[in-house]
Every structure is written in C-alpha cells, then in structure tokens.
Amino acid sequence: MRDLLYGGLKRIDMSEFKMVVKKEEIHHQISEIAKRISNDYQGKEVVLIGILKGAFIFLADLARQLTLEKIQVDFLQASSYGADTVSSENIALKKDIDVEIRGKDVIVVEDIVDTGLTLAYLIDHLKSFGPSSIKVCAMINKHERRKTQVNVDYVCSTVDKGFLVGYGLDFAEHYRNLPEIYHMKL
Ligand code: IMP
Ligand code: MG
C-alpha cells in the first residue's frame, strides 16, 4: 500500500486503509448512472444540488457525463452537532441554495447516505420551494445505521458498514482528495 504525502507535511500510513472502490470502478459507475439520468430526464430542466462538502468531486464528475441540455448546479450544506446523539433535531442548514427550483426537477447529489437523517432534513427543506420532483443520487448507500426511510434513486456503490474516506469523503477534513474509496480503521 502506498503512502500519501499529505499537504507536504506529514506522511500518512496507508496500511490502515483498505481500498473498497477502485478509481476505474468509480468512473464506470458514474458513467452508468449518468446514462440512466440522461435517459430519465430527456428534455427536462434539471437542477443538481450537491450536498457540501463531500459531494463536490462526485458532482463534478457526474455533471460532466450528463448529456442533458439544461442543467443548473447549486449546493446545500447542513451542519450536524452532537454527533453521538444523531437526530434530525441536531441538523441545521449552513448554506442554502440560490437557484430558483420551483417547478423544476431536482436531483440531490450526496456522497454517502448513512443514517439518512441529513438527507431527510434537506429533502424536507427543498420541498418547501415547490420543485416538480426531487430524486436522490448517492455515490455510496450505507445501510447499517439507517434511522429513517429515504429513497435513494441512483446509487453507485452499496456497503453495509464501516467508515469510508476518499473521493470527497473525509475523516476530520482529510483524505477527500484520494482518487479511490477506502475503508478506514477507526
Ligand atoms: P447521515 O445523516 O447519517 O446520513 O449522514 C450523512 C453524512 O455523514 C454524509 O454526507 C457524510 O458527510 C457523513 N458520513 C457518513 N458516513 C461516512 C463515512 O463513512 N465517511 C465519511 N463521511 C461519512
Ligand atoms: Mg455529506
């Protein structure tokens, strides 16, 4: 396993990381999802709403593979506090959208759906703007800790459990830039 020179300061031991999704696999999955979305939304005005920060790389790659004519991009950010007692009451909006989504078709782009509470909160928020539809596209659907029922319409990879980093996913704001997805021992 290679080492990563992080920020030019500290060498991180990658032997604690196990690769779970290779770069080629991620790119293949994204092209397949992009084909499905392009097909499902032909002739429609789509607004991709990325959930910051984790979705920034996934959204950038997905958006460039879509063959739809009218796409807008915006971002939402939620903050959760009291991480050990996760509940929707602990989630607040940190950054709202600027684009008008009334009557438009929205696709929420998320890095990973875990308990589902963040997504449920953000979908409720987006519904208040009156879009004509809201669907969800997630890079990873993680099942073990799901606490609320959320529909994830487009999924690249499904995992049962574990803490993942890379390709936008962080641990304490690090490792988002890794081109593959790794399981990290905590
Ligand atoms: P949820 O409300 O529990 O579904 O939280 C989802 C958010 O928690 C994701 O958007 C990520 O920011 C973060 N998260 C959940 N699982 C992981 C993981 O395995 N690695 C990195 N971040 C994660
Ligand atoms: Mg996230």
Side-chain angles (χ1 to χ4, degrees), residues 23-75:
K23 209 185 323 188
E24 296 75 21
E25 181 63 16
I26 297 171
H27 293 142
H28 173 72
Q29 289 168 342
I30 293 176
S31 357
E32 291 302 307
I33 294 270
K35 274 186 218 154
R36 281 178 53 203
I37 294 176
S38 302
N39 198 44
D40 294 351
Y41 287 87
Q42 268 174 39
K44 294 193 169 165
E45 275 194 51
V46 174
V47 187
L48 299 179
I49 300 185
I51 310 304
L52 292 172
K53 302 176 191 174
F56 79 111
I57 293 180
F58 179 45
L59 187 142
D61 282 349
L62 178 70
R64 283 176 292 177
Q65 298 267 344
L66 295 175
T67 55
L68 299 163
E69 262 177 46
K70 286 200 154 184
I71 293 180
Q72 289 178 304
V73 174
D74 207 341
F75 294 93

Side-chain angles (χ1 to χ4, degrees), residues 141-157:
N141 197 4
K142 187 164 79 176
H143 289 295
E144 197 198 23
R145 302 189 331 139
R146 194 61 47 90
K147 289 199 174 126
T148 182
Q149 202 268 327
V150 279
N151 278 337
V152 187
D153 304 278
Y154 304 97
V155 178
C156 286
S157 292

Side-chain angles (χ1 to χ4, degrees), residues 3-153:
D3 281 355
L4 177 76
L5 199 57
Y6 192 77
L9 294 173
K10 193 173 144 203
R11 190 169 282 279
I12 290 176
D13 179 9
M14 296 292 287
S15 63
E16 293 293 289
F17 289 58
K18 187 175 151 257
M19 198 192 291
V20 287
V21 196
K22 287 186 202 160
K23 209 185 323 188
E24 296 75 21
E25 181 63 16
I26 297 171
H27 293 142
H28 173 72
Q29 289 168 342
I30 293 176
S31 357
E32 291 302 307
I33 294 270
K35 274 186 218 154
R36 281 178 53 203
I37 294 176
S38 302
N39 198 44
D40 294 351
Y41 287 87
Q42 268 174 39
K44 294 193 169 165
E45 275 194 51
V46 174
V47 187
L48 299 179
I49 300 185
I51 310 304
L52 292 172
K53 302 176 191 174
F56 79 111
I57 293 180
F58 179 45
L59 187 142
D61 282 349
L62 178 70
R64 283 176 292 177
Q65 298 267 344
L66 295 175
T67 55
L68 299 163
E69 262 177 46
K70 286 200 154 184
I71 293 180
Q72 289 178 304
V73 174
D74 207 341
F75 294 93
L76 264 184
Q77 186 168 18
S79 61
S80 61
Y81 41 94
D84 285 345
T85 54
V86 187
S87 88
S88 52
E89 286 151 39
N90 293 338
I91 301 171
L93 199 65
K94 204 165 176 185
K95 189 231 169 280
D96 207 346
I97 50 168
D98 305 310
V99 165
E100 170 67 72
I101 61 167
R102 182 167 302 280
K104 293 185 187 162
D105 292 294
V106 166
I107 304 177
V108 176
V109 181
E110 177 62 303
D111 51 358
I112 184 164
V113 184
D114 184 12
T115 63
L117 292 168
T118 310
L119 198 55
Y121 174 91
L122 293 176
I123 287 174
D124 260 6
H125 173 70
L126 290 172
K127 278 184 183 161
S128 70
F129 294 108
S132 64
S133 72
I134 303 181
K135 283 199 178 180
V136 175
C137 175
M139 186 170 72
I140 310 271
N141 197 4
K142 187 164 79 176
H143 289 295
E144 197 198 23
R145 302 189 331 139
R146 194 61 47 90
K147 289 199 174 126
T148 182
Q149 202 268 327
V150 279
N151 278 337
V152 187
D153 304 278

